[in-house]
Amino acid sequence: MTVTTAEPAPWRLQVVLLGLVTIGAFGLILYGFGAFVSPIRDDTGWSNASISAAFAIATLAGGVMSLGAGRLLDRFGAQPVMAGTLVVGSALLILSSTAEQAWAFVLAWGAGGAIASSGLYYSATMAVTARIVSDVERPRAYTWLTVIGGLASPIAFPLAGWFVEAWGWRVAVRAMVGFMIVCTVPALIW
């Protein structure tokens, strides 16, 4: 009796890389933010409400902007859209770490988080997955993507907390932006 092994589906590496994109973006913008609120408040004296406004803007505007990002994905493809949102979003998130006024932090984080999330969250990674996987394999690929992306919280929240304890919130934000970049670049190259 001959045992044959099936070759791994050709989409698996690509979906794993898209899962890493999700970990990086969700990890910073959604989960890592929770590790920053108290240290930002303690360092700057800004209210929890003003700090949390940055999160709210990033979340709400990112959801709305994902509609436009979807159109851009259809028109230009994944690499330009994901690279553009990574670069612009990262720049604004880094800018937020230099803010001396609450309003500047809220605007920079809100805009940076919205831009990055619109092109790097599931709204984008699932659309890309749909393009690279056959209809038959799509449910399995979505499961892979969702399970990998689901690791964002248990990876990023403690990582952001460790960075804050080691370097303070301003450097921690920059380090988490670096984490998002490291998680995204392999998918852009592939």
Side-chain angles (χ1 to χ4, degrees):
M1 176 181 214
T2 305
V3 176
T4 59
T5 57
E7 284 190 42
W11 52 261
R12 286 190 179 150
L13 176 60
Q14 292 170 308
V15 170
V16 167
L17 294 175
L18 289 169
L20 291 176
V21 171
T22 306
I23 289 172
F26 263 119
L28 167 60
I29 300 161
L30 189 64
Y31 300 115
F33 190 85
F36 299 135
V37 175
S38 293
I40 292 171
R41 183 196 60 229
D42 294 346
D43 179 52
T44 63
W46 303 335
S47 69
N48 282 339
S50 63
I51 297 165
S52 298
F55 177 82
I57 291 169
T59 303
L60 294 171
V64 171
M65 291 173 69
S66 67
L67 299 172
R71 292 214 181 251
L72 293 172
L73 282 168
D74 288 340
R75 186 165 185 182
F76 299 108
Q79 286 177 321
V81 173
M82 294 175 92
T85 57
L86 178 67
V87 169
V88 176
S90 294
L92 288 165
L93 290 164
I94 289 170
L95 182 65
S96 76
S97 74
T98 68
E100 296 297 329
Q101 304 284 333
W103 65 267
F105 175 79
V106 169
L107 288 177
W109 184 281
I115 291 167
S117 68
S118 71
L120 301 175
Y121 273 13
Y122 283 124
S123 56
T125 59
M126 285 198 172
V128 174
T129 299
R131 288 188 177 102
I132 62 175
V133 177
S134 71
D135 291 346
V136 173
E137 293 282 351
R138 195 166 295 142
R140 188 176 314 171
Y142 281 159
T143 300
W144 276 58
L145 179 64
T146 304
V147 168
I148 294 166
L151 297 173
S153 176
I155 291 171
F157 188 73
L159 184 62
W162 182 72
F163 288 162
V164 167
E165 290 173 358
W167 305 314
W169 76 270
R170 293 181 189 273
V171 176
V173 167
R174 295 175 204 140
M176 288 301 291
V177 169
F179 172 74
M180 180 174 69
I181 292 167
V182 166
C183 287
T184 303
V185 167
L188 295 176
I189 292 170
W190 186 267

Coordinates of all heavy atoms in Angstrom, one line a residue, residues 56-154:
A56 N -11.5 55.9 19.5 CA -12.8 56.0 18.9 C -12.7 56.5 17.5 O -13.3 55.9 16.6 CB -13.7 56.9 19.7
I57 N -11.9 57.5 17.3 CA -11.8 58.1 15.9 C -11.1 57.1 15.0 O -11.6 56.8 13.9 CB -11.0 59.4 15.9 CG1 -11.8 60.5 16.6 CG2 -10.6 59.8 14.5 CD1 -11.1 61.8 16.9
A58 N -10.1 56.4 15.5 CA -9.4 55.4 14.7 C -10.3 54.3 14.3 O -10.3 53.8 13.1 CB -8.2 54.9 15.4
T59 N -11.1 53.9 15.2 CA -12.0 52.7 15.0 C -13.1 53.1 14.0 O -13.4 52.4 13.1 CB -12.6 52.2 16.3 OG1 -11.5 51.9 17.2 CG2 -13.5 51.0 16.1
L60 N -13.8 54.2 14.3 CA -15.0 54.6 13.5 C -14.5 55.0 12.1 O -15.1 54.6 11.1 CB -15.7 55.7 14.2 CG -16.4 55.3 15.5 CD1 -17.0 56.6 16.2 CD2 -17.5 54.3 15.2
A61 N -13.5 55.9 12.0 CA -13.1 56.4 10.7 C -12.4 55.2 9.9 O -12.6 55.2 8.7 CB -12.1 57.5 10.9
G62 N -11.7 54.3 10.6 CA -11.1 53.2 9.9 C -12.2 52.3 9.3 O -12.0 51.8 8.1
G63 N -13.3 52.1 9.9 CA -14.4 51.4 9.4 C -15.0 52.0 8.1 O -15.2 51.4 7.1
V64 N -15.2 53.3 8.2 CA -15.7 54.1 7.1 C -14.7 54.0 5.9 O -15.0 53.8 4.8 CB -16.1 55.5 7.5 CG1 -16.4 56.3 6.2 CG2 -17.3 55.5 8.4
M65 N -13.4 54.3 6.3 CA -12.4 54.3 5.2 C -12.1 53.0 4.6 O -11.6 52.9 3.5 CB -11.1 54.9 5.8 CG -11.2 56.4 6.2 SD -9.7 56.9 7.1 CE -8.5 56.9 5.8
S66 N -12.5 51.9 5.3 CA -12.3 50.6 4.7 C -13.1 50.4 3.4 O -12.8 49.6 2.5 CB -12.6 49.5 5.7 OG -14.0 49.4 6.0
L67 N -14.2 51.1 3.3 CA -15.0 51.1 2.1 C -14.2 51.6 0.9 O -14.2 51.0 -0.2 CB -16.3 51.9 2.2 CG -17.3 51.4 3.3 CD1 -18.4 52.4 3.5 CD2 -17.8 50.0 3.0
G68 N -13.5 52.7 1.1 CA -12.7 53.3 0.1 C -11.5 52.4 -0.2 O -11.0 52.3 -1.3
A69 N -10.9 51.8 0.9 CA -9.8 50.9 0.7 C -10.2 49.7 -0.1 O -9.4 49.3 -1.0 CB -9.2 50.5 2.0
G70 N -11.4 49.2 0.0 CA -11.9 48.1 -0.8 C -11.9 48.5 -2.2 O -11.5 47.7 -3.1
R71 N -12.4 49.7 -2.5 CA -12.4 50.1 -3.9 C -11.0 50.3 -4.5 O -10.7 49.9 -5.6 CB -13.1 51.5 -4.0 CG -14.6 51.4 -3.8 CD -15.4 52.3 -4.6 NE -16.8 52.3 -4.3 CZ -17.6 51.7 -5.2 NH1 -17.2 51.3 -6.3 NH2 -18.9 51.7 -4.9
L72 N -10.1 50.8 -3.7 CA -8.7 50.9 -4.1 C -8.1 49.5 -4.3 O -7.3 49.3 -5.3 CB -7.9 51.7 -3.1 CG -8.2 53.2 -3.0 CD1 -7.5 53.8 -1.9 CD2 -8.0 53.9 -4.3
L73 N -8.4 48.5 -3.5 CA -7.9 47.2 -3.7 C -8.4 46.6 -5.0 O -7.6 46.0 -5.7 CB -8.4 46.3 -2.5 CG -7.7 46.3 -1.2 CD1 -8.5 45.6 -0.1 CD2 -6.3 45.8 -1.3
D74 N -9.7 46.9 -5.3 CA -10.2 46.4 -6.6 C -9.5 47.1 -7.8 O -9.2 46.4 -8.8 CB -11.7 46.7 -6.7 CG -12.5 45.8 -5.8 OD1 -12.0 44.8 -5.4 OD2 -13.7 46.2 -5.5
R75 N -9.2 48.3 -7.6 CA -8.6 49.1 -8.8 C -7.1 48.9 -8.9 O -6.6 48.7 -10.0 CB -8.9 50.6 -8.6 CG -8.5 51.4 -9.7 CD -9.1 52.7 -9.7 NE -8.7 53.4 -10.9 CZ -9.0 54.6 -11.2 NH1 -9.8 55.3 -10.4 NH2 -8.6 55.2 -12.3
F76 N -6.4 48.9 -7.8 CA -4.9 48.9 -7.9 C -4.2 47.6 -7.4 O -3.0 47.4 -7.6 CB -4.3 50.1 -7.1 CG -4.8 51.4 -7.7 CD1 -5.7 52.2 -6.9 CD2 -4.3 51.9 -8.9 CE1 -6.1 53.4 -7.4 CE2 -4.7 53.1 -9.4 CZ -5.6 53.8 -8.7
G77 N -4.9 46.8 -6.6 CA -4.4 45.6 -6.1 C -3.9 45.8 -4.7 O -3.9 46.9 -4.1
A78 N -3.5 44.7 -4.1 CA -3.2 44.6 -2.6 C -1.9 45.4 -2.3 O -1.9 46.1 -1.3 CB -3.1 43.2 -2.1
Q79 N -0.8 45.1 -3.0 CA 0.4 45.7 -2.6 C 0.4 47.2 -2.5 O 0.9 47.8 -1.5 CB 1.6 45.2 -3.5 CG 1.9 43.8 -3.2 CD 3.0 43.2 -4.1 OE1 3.0 43.5 -5.3 NE2 3.9 42.4 -3.6
P80 N 0.0 48.0 -3.5 CA 0.0 49.4 -3.4 C -0.9 49.9 -2.2 O -0.5 50.9 -1.5 CB -0.5 49.9 -4.7 CG -0.5 48.8 -5.6 CD -0.5 47.5 -4.8
V81 N -2.0 49.3 -2.1 CA -3.0 49.8 -1.0 C -2.4 49.5 0.3 O -2.4 50.4 1.2 CB -4.4 49.2 -1.2 CG1 -5.3 49.5 -0.1 CG2 -5.0 49.6 -2.5
M82 N -2.0 48.3 0.6 CA -1.4 47.9 1.9 C -0.1 48.7 2.2 O 0.0 49.1 3.3 CB -1.2 46.4 2.0 CG -2.6 45.6 1.9 SD -2.3 43.9 1.8 CE -2.4 43.5 3.6
A83 N 0.7 48.8 1.2 CA 1.9 49.6 1.4 C 1.6 51.1 1.7 O 2.2 51.6 2.7 CB 2.9 49.5 0.2
G84 N 0.7 51.6 1.0 CA 0.4 53.0 1.2 C -0.3 53.3 2.6 O 0.1 54.2 3.3
T85 N -1.2 52.4 3.0 CA -1.8 52.5 4.3 C -0.8 52.3 5.4 O -0.8 52.9 6.4 CB -3.0 51.6 4.5 OG1 -2.7 50.3 4.3 CG2 -4.1 52.0 3.5
L86 N 0.1 51.4 5.2 CA 1.2 51.1 6.2 C 2.1 52.3 6.3 O 2.4 52.8 7.5 CB 2.0 49.9 5.8 CG 3.2 49.6 6.7 CD1 2.7 49.1 8.1 CD2 4.1 48.5 6.1
V87 N 2.5 52.9 5.2 CA 3.5 54.1 5.3 C 2.8 55.3 5.9 O 3.3 55.9 6.9 CB 4.0 54.4 3.9 CG1 4.8 55.7 3.9 CG2 4.9 53.3 3.4
V88 N 1.6 55.7 5.4 CA 1.0 56.9 5.9 C 0.5 56.6 7.4 O 0.6 57.5 8.2 CB -0.2 57.3 5.0 CG1 -1.0 58.5 5.6 CG2 0.3 57.6 3.6
G89 N -0.2 55.5 7.6 CA -0.6 55.2 9.0 C 0.5 55.2 10.0 O 0.4 55.7 11.1
S90 N 1.6 54.5 9.6 CA 2.7 54.4 10.5 C 3.3 55.8 10.8 O 3.6 56.1 12.0 CB 3.8 53.6 9.9 OG 3.4 52.2 9.8
A91 N 3.4 56.7 9.8 CA 4.0 58.0 10.0 C 3.1 58.8 11.0 O 3.6 59.5 11.9 CB 4.1 58.7 8.7
L92 N 1.8 58.7 10.8 CA 0.9 59.5 11.7 C 0.9 58.9 13.1 O 0.8 59.6 14.1 CB -0.5 59.5 11.1 CG -0.7 60.4 9.9 CD1 -2.0 60.1 9.2 CD2 -0.6 61.8 10.3
L93 N 1.0 57.6 13.2 CA 1.0 56.9 14.6 C 2.3 57.3 15.3 O 2.3 57.6 16.5 CB 0.9 55.4 14.5 CG -0.6 55.0 14.1 CD1 -0.5 53.5 13.6 CD2 -1.5 55.2 15.2
I94 N 3.4 57.4 14.5 CA 4.7 57.8 15.2 C 4.6 59.3 15.6 O 5.0 59.7 16.6 CB 5.9 57.6 14.2 CG1 6.2 56.1 14.1 CG2 7.1 58.3 14.6 CD1 7.2 55.7 13.0
L95 N 3.9 60.1 14.7 CA 3.7 61.5 15.0 C 2.9 61.6 16.3 O 3.2 62.5 17.1 CB 3.0 62.2 13.9 CG 2.7 63.7 14.1 CD1 4.1 64.5 14.1 CD2 1.9 64.2 12.9
S96 N 1.9 60.7 16.5 CA 1.1 60.8 17.8 C 2.0 60.6 19.0 O 1.7 61.2 20.0 CB 0.0 59.7 17.7 OG 0.5 58.5 18.0
S97 N 3.1 59.9 18.9 CA 4.0 59.7 20.0 C 4.8 60.9 20.4 O 5.4 60.9 21.5 CB 4.9 58.5 19.8 OG 5.9 58.8 18.9
T98 N 4.8 61.9 19.6 CA 5.5 63.1 19.8 C 4.6 64.2 20.3 O 5.1 65.3 20.6 CB 6.3 63.6 18.6 OG1 5.3 64.0 17.6 CG2 7.2 62.5 18.0
A99 N 3.3 64.0 20.4 CA 2.3 65.0 20.7 C 2.5 65.6 22.1 O 2.8 64.8 23.1 CB 0.9 64.5 20.6
E100 N 2.5 66.9 22.2 CA 2.5 67.6 23.5 C 1.2 68.1 24.0 O 1.0 68.5 25.1 CB 3.5 68.7 23.4 CG 5.0 68.3 23.1 CD 5.6 67.5 24.2 OE1 5.2 67.6 25.4 OE2 6.4 66.6 23.9
Q101 N 0.2 68.0 23.1 CA -1.2 68.5 23.4 C -2.1 67.3 23.1 O -1.9 66.5 22.1 CB -1.6 69.6 22.5 CG -0.6 70.9 22.6 CD -0.9 71.6 23.8 OE1 -2.0 71.6 24.4 NE2 0.2 72.3 24.3
A102 N -3.1 67.2 23.9 CA -4.1 66.1 23.7 C -4.7 66.1 22.3 O -4.9 65.1 21.7 CB -5.2 66.1 24.8
W103 N -5.1 67.3 21.9 CA -5.8 67.4 20.6 C -4.9 66.9 19.4 O -5.3 66.2 18.5 CB -6.2 68.8 20.2 CG -5.1 69.8 20.1 CD1 -4.6 70.6 21.0 CD2 -4.4 70.1 18.9 NE1 -3.6 71.4 20.5 CE2 -3.4 71.1 19.2 CE3 -4.4 69.6 17.6 CZ2 -2.5 71.6 18.3 CZ3 -3.6 70.1 16.7 CH2 -2.6 71.1 17.0
A104 N -3.5 67.1 19.5 CA -2.6 66.6 18.5 C -2.5 65.1 18.6 O -2.4 64.5 17.5 CB -1.2 67.3 18.7
F105 N -2.5 64.6 19.8 CA -2.4 63.1 19.9 C -3.7 62.5 19.3 O -3.6 61.5 18.5 CB -2.3 62.7 21.4 CG -2.4 61.2 21.6 CD1 -1.3 60.4 21.3 CD2 -3.6 60.6 22.0 CE1 -1.4 59.0 21.5 CE2 -3.7 59.3 22.2 CZ -2.6 58.5 21.9
V106 N -4.8 63.1 19.7 CA -6.1 62.5 19.2 C -6.2 62.6 17.7 O -6.6 61.6 17.0 CB -7.3 63.3 19.8 CG1 -8.6 62.9 19.1 CG2 -7.4 63.0 21.3
L107 N -5.8 63.7 17.1 CA -5.8 63.8 15.6 C -4.8 62.8 14.9 O -5.2 62.1 14.0 CB -5.5 65.2 15.2 CG -6.7 66.2 15.4 CD1 -6.3 67.6 15.0 CD2 -8.0 65.8 14.7
A108 N -3.6 62.8 15.4 CA -2.6 61.9 14.8 C -2.9 60.5 15.0 O -2.8 59.7 14.0 CB -1.2 62.3 15.4
W109 N -3.2 60.0 16.2 CA -3.6 58.6 16.4 C -4.9 58.3 15.7 O -4.9 57.2 15.0 CB -3.7 58.3 17.9 CG -3.9 56.8 18.1 CD1 -5.1 56.1 17.9 CD2 -3.0 55.8 18.4 NE1 -5.0 54.8 18.2 CE2 -3.6 54.6 18.4 CE3 -1.6 55.9 18.7 CZ2 -3.0 53.4 18.7 CZ3 -1.0 54.7 19.0 CH2 -1.6 53.5 19.0
G110 N -5.8 59.1 15.8 CA -7.1 58.9 15.1 C -6.9 58.7 13.6 O -7.4 57.7 13.0
A111 N -6.2 59.6 13.0 CA -6.0 59.5 11.5 C -5.1 58.3 11.2 O -5.4 57.6 10.2 CB -5.4 60.8 11.0
G112 N -4.0 58.2 11.9 CA -3.0 57.1 11.6 C -3.7 55.7 11.8 O -3.5 54.8 11.0
G113 N -4.4 55.6 12.9 CA -5.1 54.3 13.2 C -6.1 54.0 12.1 O -6.3 52.9 11.7
A114 N -6.9 55.0 11.7 CA -7.9 54.8 10.7 C -7.3 54.4 9.4 O -7.8 53.5 8.7 CB -8.8 56.1 10.6
I115 N -6.3 55.1 9.0 CA -5.7 54.8 7.7 C -5.1 53.4 7.7 O -5.3 52.6 6.8 CB -4.6 55.9 7.3 CG1 -5.3 57.2 7.0 CG2 -3.8 55.4 6.2 CD1 -4.4 58.4 6.9
A116 N -4.3 53.1 8.7 CA -3.7 51.8 8.8 C -4.7 50.7 8.9 O -4.6 49.6 8.2 CB -2.7 51.7 10.0
S117 N -5.7 50.9 9.7 CA -6.7 49.8 9.9 C -7.5 49.6 8.6 O -7.9 48.5 8.3 CB -7.6 50.1 11.1 OG -8.5 51.2 10.8
S118 N -7.8 50.7 7.8 CA -8.6 50.5 6.6 C -8.0 49.6 5.6 O -8.6 49.0 4.8 CB -8.9 51.9 6.0 OG -7.8 52.5 5.5
G119 N -6.6 49.6 5.6 CA -5.9 48.8 4.6 C -5.2 47.6 5.1 O -4.7 46.8 4.3
L120 N -5.3 47.3 6.5 CA -4.5 46.2 7.0 C -5.4 45.3 7.9 O -4.9 44.3 8.4 CB -3.3 46.7 7.8 CG -2.3 47.6 7.0 CD1 -1.2 48.1 8.0 CD2 -1.7 46.8 5.9
Y121 N -6.6 45.7 8.2 CA -7.5 44.8 9.0 C -8.1 43.8 8.2 O -7.9 43.7 7.0 CB -8.6 45.7 9.6 CG -8.3 46.4 11.0 CD1 -7.0 46.4 11.5 CD2 -9.3 46.9 11.7 CE1 -6.7 47.1 12.7 CE2 -9.1 47.6 12.9 CZ -7.8 47.6 13.4 OH -7.5 48.3 14.6
Y122 N -9.0 43.0 8.8 CA -9.6 41.9 8.1 C -10.4 42.4 6.8 O -10.5 41.6 5.9 CB -10.6 41.2 9.0 CG -10.0 40.2 10.0 CD1 -10.3 40.4 11.3 CD2 -9.2 39.1 9.5 CE1 -9.7 39.5 12.2 CE2 -8.7 38.2 10.5 CZ -9.0 38.4 11.8 OH -8.4 37.5 12.7
S123 N -10.9 43.6 6.8 CA -11.6 44.1 5.6 C -10.7 44.0 4.4 O -11.2 43.8 3.3 CB -12.0 45.5 5.9 OG -10.9 46.3 6.2
A124 N -9.4 44.2 4.6 CA -8.5 44.1 3.5 C -7.9 42.7 3.3 O -7.9 42.1 2.2 CB -7.3 45.1 3.6
T125 N -7.5 42.1 4.4 CA -6.8 40.8 4.3 C -7.8 39.7 3.9 O -7.4 38.7 3.1 CB -6.1 40.4 5.6 OG1 -7.1 40.3 6.7 CG2 -5.0 41.3 6.0
M126 N -9.0 39.8 4.2 CA -10.0 38.8 3.7 C -10.3 39.0 2.3 O -10.5 38.0 1.5 CB -11.3 38.8 4.6 CG -11.1 38.1 5.9 SD -12.7 37.7 6.6 CE -12.1 36.8 8.1
A127 N -10.3 40.2 1.8 CA -10.6 40.5 0.4 C -9.4 40.0 -0.4 O -9.6 39.4 -1.5 CB -10.7 42.0 0.2
V128 N -8.2 40.1 0.1 CA -7.0 39.6 -0.6 C -7.1 38.1 -0.6 O -6.8 37.4 -1.7 CB -5.7 40.1 0.0 CG1 -4.5 39.5 -0.6 CG2 -5.6 41.7 -0.2
T129 N -7.4 37.5 0.5 CA -7.5 36.0 0.6 C -8.5 35.5 -0.5 O -8.3 34.5 -1.1 CB -7.9 35.6 2.0 OG1 -6.9 36.0 2.9 CG2 -8.1 34.1 2.1
A130 N -9.7 36.2 -0.6 CA -10.7 35.8 -1.6 C -10.1 35.8 -3.0 O -10.5 34.9 -3.8 CB -11.9 36.7 -1.5
R131 N -9.2 36.6 -3.3 CA -8.6 36.7 -4.6 C -7.6 35.6 -4.9 O -7.3 35.2 -6.0 CB -7.9 38.1 -4.8 CG -8.9 39.2 -5.0 CD -8.2 40.5 -5.4 NE -9.2 41.5 -5.5 CZ -9.5 42.4 -4.7 NH1 -8.8 42.5 -3.5 NH2 -10.4 43.3 -4.9
I132 N -6.9 35.1 -3.8 CA -5.8 34.2 -4.1 C -6.2 32.7 -3.8 O -5.4 31.8 -4.0 CB -4.6 34.5 -3.2 CG1 -4.9 34.4 -1.7 CG2 -4.0 35.9 -3.6 CD1 -3.7 34.6 -0.8
V133 N -7.4 32.5 -3.4 CA -7.9 31.2 -3.0 C -9.1 30.8 -3.8 O -10.0 31.6 -4.0 CB -8.2 31.1 -1.5 CG1 -8.7 29.8 -1.1 CG2 -7.0 31.5 -0.7
S134 N -9.2 29.5 -4.2 CA -10.3 29.1 -5.0 C -11.6 29.1 -4.1 O -11.5 29.0 -2.9 CB -10.1 27.7 -5.5 OG -10.1 26.7 -4.5
D135 N -12.7 29.0 -4.7 CA -14.0 29.0 -4.0 C -14.0 27.8 -3.0 O -14.5 27.9 -1.9 CB -15.2 28.9 -4.9 CG -15.4 30.2 -5.7 OD1 -14.8 31.2 -5.4 OD2 -16.2 30.2 -6.7
V136 N -13.5 26.7 -3.5 CA -13.5 25.4 -2.7 C -12.7 25.6 -1.4 O -13.0 25.1 -0.4 CB -13.1 24.2 -3.5 CG1 -12.9 23.0 -2.7 CG2 -14.0 24.0 -4.7
E137 N -11.5 26.2 -1.6 CA -10.6 26.3 -0.5 C -10.8 27.6 0.4 O -10.2 27.7 1.5 CB -9.1 26.4 -1.0 CG -8.7 25.1 -1.7 CD -8.2 24.1 -0.7 OE1 -8.2 24.4 0.5 OE2 -8.0 23.0 -1.1
R138 N -11.7 28.5 0.0 CA -11.9 29.7 0.7 C -12.3 29.5 2.2 O -11.7 30.2 3.0 CB -12.9 30.6 -0.1 CG -12.9 32.0 0.4 CD -13.6 33.0 -0.5 NE -12.8 33.0 -1.8 CZ -13.4 33.1 -3.0 NH1 -14.7 33.1 -3.1 NH2 -12.7 33.1 -4.1
P139 N -13.2 28.7 2.5 CA -13.6 28.5 3.9 C -12.4 28.1 4.8 O -12.2 28.7 5.9 CB -14.7 27.5 4.0 CG -15.3 27.5 2.6 CD -14.1 27.9 1.7
R140 N -11.6 27.2 4.3 CA -10.4 26.8 5.0 C -9.4 28.0 5.2 O -8.8 28.2 6.2 CB -9.7 25.6 4.3 CG -8.6 25.0 5.2 CD -8.0 23.8 4.5 NE -9.1 22.9 4.1 CZ -9.0 21.9 3.3 NH1 -7.8 21.5 3.0 NH2 -10.0 21.1 3.0
A141 N -9.2 28.7 4.1 CA -8.3 29.9 4.1 C -8.8 30.9 5.1 O -8.0 31.5 5.8 CB -8.1 30.4 2.7
Y142 N -10.1 31.2 5.1 CA -10.6 32.2 6.0 C -10.4 31.7 7.5 O -10.2 32.5 8.4 CB -12.1 32.4 5.8 CG -12.4 33.3 4.6 CD1 -13.6 33.3 4.0 CD2 -11.5 34.3 4.2 CE1 -13.9 34.2 3.0 CE2 -11.7 35.1 3.1 CZ -13.0 35.1 2.5 OH -13.3 35.9 1.5
T143 N -10.6 30.4 7.7 CA -10.3 29.9 9.0 C -8.9 30.1 9.5 O -8.6 30.6 10.6 CB -10.7 28.4 9.1 OG1 -12.1 28.2 8.8 CG2 -10.4 27.8 10.5
W144 N -8.0 29.8 8.6 CA -6.5 30.0 8.9 C -6.3 31.5 9.2 O -5.7 31.8 10.2 CB -5.7 29.6 7.7 CG -5.3 28.2 7.5 CD1 -6.2 27.2 7.5 CD2 -4.0 27.7 7.4 NE1 -5.5 26.0 7.3 CE2 -4.2 26.3 7.3 CE3 -2.8 28.2 7.4 CZ2 -3.1 25.4 7.2 CZ3 -1.7 27.4 7.3 CH2 -1.8 26.0 7.2
L145 N -6.8 32.4 8.3 CA -6.6 33.8 8.5 C -7.2 34.3 9.8 O -6.5 35.0 10.6 CB -7.2 34.6 7.4 CG -7.1 36.1 7.4 CD1 -5.7 36.6 7.3 CD2 -7.9 36.7 6.3
T146 N -8.4 33.8 10.2 CA -9.0 34.3 11.4 C -8.3 33.7 12.6 O -8.1 34.5 13.6 CB -10.5 33.8 11.4 OG1 -11.1 34.3 10.2 CG2 -11.2 34.3 12.6
V147 N -7.9 32.5 12.6 CA -7.2 31.9 13.8 C -5.9 32.6 14.0 O -5.5 33.0 15.1 CB -7.0 30.4 13.6 CG1 -6.0 29.9 14.6 CG2 -8.3 29.7 13.7
I148 N -5.1 32.9 12.9 CA -3.8 33.6 13.0 C -4.0 35.0 13.5 O -3.4 35.5 14.5 CB -3.0 33.5 11.7 CG1 -2.6 32.1 11.4 CG2 -1.8 34.4 11.8 CD1 -2.1 31.8 10.0
G149 N -5.0 35.7 12.9 CA -5.3 37.1 13.3 C -5.8 37.2 14.7 O -5.5 38.2 15.4
G150 N -6.5 36.1 15.2 CA -6.9 36.1 16.5 C -5.8 36.1 17.6 O -6.1 36.3 18.8
L151 N -4.6 35.8 17.2 CA -3.5 35.9 18.1 C -3.0 37.3 18.4 O -2.1 37.5 19.2 CB -2.3 35.1 17.5 CG -2.6 33.6 17.3 CD1 -1.4 32.9 16.6 CD2 -2.9 32.9 18.7
A152 N -3.7 38.3 17.7 CA -3.2 39.7 17.9 C -3.3 40.1 19.4 O -2.3 40.7 19.9 CB -4.1 40.6 17.0
S153 N -4.4 39.8 20.1 CA -4.5 40.3 21.4 C -3.5 39.6 22.4 O -2.8 40.3 23.1 CB -5.9 40.0 21.9 OG -6.0 40.4 23.3
P154 N -3.4 38.3 22.4 CA -2.4 37.6 23.3 C -1.0 37.9 23.0 O -0.1 37.8 23.8 CB -2.8 36.2 23.2 CG -3.5 35.9 22.0 CD -4.2 37.2 21.7

